[in-house]
Amino acid sequence: MTITYVTAGPEGGEPNAFGTKIREDVHIPKAPPPPIQRGSTITNLGSLRQINKQLNVSCAVFFLFVYGGMDFAHSAGWNQTLNTTATQVFKCSWFIGVLAGAAVASLAMTFLPKLPFYVLGGIMQLIGSIIFTCAPFHYDCLLAARYVAGAGIGLITVPFLIHSAEVASNNYRGVSGSMEQCGLALGIAIQVIYDTQWVDDKEASVNEVHGIIGIVFSLLGLGMTALSIESPIFHLRRNQEEKARECHQKLLGSFNHSADQEFEEVQLYVVESQKRTFFQELWSSVVPFIKVLLYRGFVAFSFSLPLSESLIKSALFTEGYISCWPVTVWGLVRLLGALVAQGFLDKMGRKLISLVGLLCMAILMLCMAVSYADPANVLVTYYMNQVWKLGVAFQAFAGLFVCSSSVYLGEAFPMKVKPFLVGYVIGFEQTVHIINIVGYNRGSETFFYHYYLSVGIILFVGVIFFGIVIPETKKITLREANKRFQRLHNIRLF
């Protein structure tokens, strides 16, 4: 490239307006590119490493929740090739175990760190999966395995929902908390697909496969728990500031210039709570408790025994066999919806995407009620085709809705009462599941119509109610989120 060079020398070239001459025979090499700013690159890599550390506990518990999702689906109708009779007690056993485990965890969390709960819960799940593998045809053993594995999930769920909110920064609390529902959704997908595709005349029975998959995920989860970091709040409550700073430094790292400021926020969160008595915090939690109790209760309607039985019967009638593609798609779309919601919880926010999911769930459930309005429609191919198509769409939007419930449970309550109230809400959710199982009337010709109509109306009313009272909590501190939940109304969507 030729570069013009300005000089006052006598060599050739025409003088310009300033009396200087322009030389065009001098070539100056192109300037080298600016040096790479290694500091910013290292900072970005460091930030990614710290985000991974904040999500370590979520990734560990994710694997444990996968096996929990398999047991969940197993209780909700996806036991088509079960080698023993799936009695009502058998279907309810896992939910009873979760309820008991959540109750124990909520009481013991006040004086124990989170890691023992994850390890004990993972071991209990491992025991349950081993029993399924070793005694696939023994009803009493399988029943005991479900109680044990359910109690393990209960021990894990309550600490995780609190822990994930405390160790994740404000920008990643949604991703962290939603790992619970994503893990359950993956477990549901695995159970639904292999339960309908596996043939029992193969070398292993369906129960053995259930146990083997459970062993793999339980071992993965137990191994990952070694990477989890305790919450700084746990140590600050015990006046162990040095340990709290050490945990906080591990979570945020030296690359985060606002680490000190964020630690001060954590300290302020603890100090404000310690200034209040237990009963003061309990009283201030009445409004948040009602909101979150109903919100999490709606999650139990997103995947239930009636929904599973409706899809199975409609698919069998229209396709002729259970291992058809509608069932496979039905098992996968909930996971897809949950992953989409997880990606938007910290960007778009929790409230809008959840209300959209809940509104679509209500509309789809009312449409299914219309298909069942006439008992004779169960023998009409057109209506049964509509039922399974609506059921598939329902699960996709259910995935959008359920993820925010895990995040809200970690944000809604003050510090002192949080374990007890989260444990109660989880217990209430299991109770709704048990009611769905006990209330299911297989012989009634109008059961599905009445069920879908009543639940659809409840969900539609819930859209209006939650649109008014549930707050948007993206990118704010736990302290600010708790204050928003204490307000009677939070109409803003963003």
Side-chain angles (χ1 to χ4, degrees), residues 200-403:
D200 252 356
D201 59 4
K202 295 185 178 181
E203 294 182 358
S205 73
V206 68
N207 287 340
E208 287 177 296
V209 176
H210 182 95
I212 291 169
I213 298 175
I215 290 172
V216 172
F217 281 110
S218 297
L219 290 175
L220 283 172
L222 282 170
M224 286 288 291
T225 54
L227 301 177
S228 65
I229 301 171
E230 183 55 74
S231 166
I233 293 175
F234 175 80
H235 294 298
L236 285 174
R237 292 186 66 183
R238 285 149 186 79
N239 297 320
Q240 299 171 338
E241 185 173 339
E242 290 302 318
K243 289 185 178 181
R245 284 188 179 277
E246 183 180 345
C247 291
H248 191 75
Q249 188 70 22
K250 288 180 181 178
L251 291 168
L252 296 182
S254 57
F255 298 99
N256 193 320
H257 300 295
S258 62
D260 291 338
Q261 181 179 352
E262 293 190 27
F263 186 73
E264 290 177 2
E265 172 62 33
V266 173
Q267 285 181 309
L268 185 59
Y269 176 72
V270 175
V271 169
E272 284 190 0
S273 177
Q274 290 177 337
K275 288 180 179 178
R276 298 187 293 263
T277 66
F278 179 87
F279 292 102
Q280 285 176 329
E281 290 206 338
L282 187 63
W283 176 251
S284 67
S285 300
V286 172
V287 172
F289 176 72
I290 294 172
K291 295 178 183 179
V292 178
L293 183 74
L294 296 175
Y295 198 90
R296 186 73 178 197
F298 278 34
V299 173
F301 292 122
S302 69
F303 192 89
S304 63
L305 180 61
L307 283 169
S308 300
E309 291 290 343
S310 175
L311 179 88
I312 291 168
K313 289 182 177 181
S314 60
L316 280 172
F317 182 80
T318 56
E319 302 295 327
Y321 55 98
I322 191 64
S323 57
C324 53
W325 67 269
V327 175
T328 302
V329 174
W330 192 86
L332 289 172
V333 290
R334 184 186 181 93
L335 174 62
L336 179 62
L339 292 175
V340 171
Q342 186 182 44
F344 284 101
L345 286 177
D346 291 309
K347 296 177 181 178
M348 183 184 295
R350 294 93 152 105
K351 185 173 181 177
L352 179 61
I353 193 169
S354 301
L355 289 180
V356 169
L358 185 60
L359 176 62
C360 293
M361 286 168 61
I363 294 172
L364 291 167
M365 190 159 275
L366 290 173
C367 290
M368 285 189 280
V370 172
S371 297
Y372 281 111
D374 186 351
N377 289 347
V378 298
L379 299 177
V380 180
T381 303
Y382 171 79
Y383 288 108
M384 291 301 98
N385 260 318
Q386 296 304 313
V387 166
W388 72 251
K389 289 176 182 177
L390 292 169
V392 169
F394 180 89
Q395 285 304 311
F397 288 106
L400 288 180
F401 168 69
V402 296
C403 284

